[in-house]
Structure formats: structure tokens, C-alpha cells
Amino acid sequence: MSVRYDWYQSETKVVITVLLKNATEKNYAVNIDAEKVHMTADGYELTLQLLHPIVVERSSHKAFPSKVEITLAKETGVRWDALEQKASNVTSDAPPPTRQVKNWDRLVSEEEKNDEKEAKGEAALNQLFKKIYNSSTPEVQKAMNKSFSESGGTVLSTNWNEVGKEKVDVKPPEGTEFRQWDQ
């Protein structure tokens, strides 16, 4: 019967946690080799072909009430992509697959252009304001923030010389009136 296990790693070691209750009562045994870990217990067996070699002398195992922790010392500080070798890795001498490099700036600009084309109505207006805000100077951004927040969202100015002098008054749309809420 197989057992459940999980693993994690640091720069110097790989830790395999085998979930097995009362391992000492089940006569567990762990055999650690440079490229293989084998654990047995009454009715349980686990064999792992490791992805990279380890240092056997600095590796160990310890039983806890609900698990067995196997600590393997890495031979090199390489990050392991997986714990075990895949069947194709064992028999194949093919070079590792190359990583595809993505130009994230180009992808973001393409996505923004698509969003601009698809936007209509209020969404298009909001995108326009975002574009103005993101491409403006800190002074203009400060003016936009101050005018919008002080006017309750009724004024949006980009002129800091005008907005910076005094509090921005509320200017409701034509045909409506502004009322102060009583506290």
C-alpha cells in the first residue's frame, strides 16, 4: 500500500513529510541513497527516484506521532522543479526544454489598446481620465485628486495653480442642487 507524502525545499535541503501515524509501532525503515529514497513500514512502501543527487551523510529521518520527516541535504544549491525524476528524464538524454521569454511591456500595451477599443460610454470616459492621470506630472495628479475629492466628485481640474489656492467648491450638474447632509 502506498502512503501520502508532501515535500518542500530550502537552498540547502529537501524535506519530505510522509503522512504515517504511529510509524515506530509499524516498524518503519528508511533507506537513503544518493539518488533514491526508500521507506517501508508494516503494509506500506514508498520509493522515490530523486531529481538531483543528495549528500547521504548529512541526510536524516525522524518519526513523529502522525508523520515521518525525511531531511535530504542537497549536493548543490539548485532549486528543484520536482521531487522525482519523470520516466522520460530517466531514459532520455535530450537537452532540457528552453523557456519562452515574454515581452510583458508589449503584452500590457496590447491589452490596454484592446480595452480602449472595446470601451463605450461611461467606461470609455473613465479610461480617458485614467490615461490622463497616469500620463501626467505629479502636480497635475495632485490637482486632479484635490479637486475631485473636495468637490464631492463634481469637479475634475488639472490646473494646480488654480486648485492649490483654496478649497474647491461643489458644482453639481445643471438642473440639480447640492445639499449638505445633516449630522
Side-chain angles (χ1 to χ4, degrees), residues 14 39 46 79 99 102 107 124 139 146 149 164 167 176:
V14 172
M39 180 183 144
L46 175 67
R79 183 185 174 283
R99 292 182 73 173
K102 293 193 184 254
L107 289 173
E139 187 175 86
K146 184 176 189 288
S149 62
K167 185 177 185 310
T176 62

Side-chain angles (χ1 to χ4, degrees), residues 79-93:
R79 183 185 174 283
W80 293 19
D81 292 329
L83 178 62
E84 295 182 85
Q85 293 180 356
K86 293 185 174 116
S88 61
N89 289 354
V90 176
T91 58
S92 173
D93 290 333

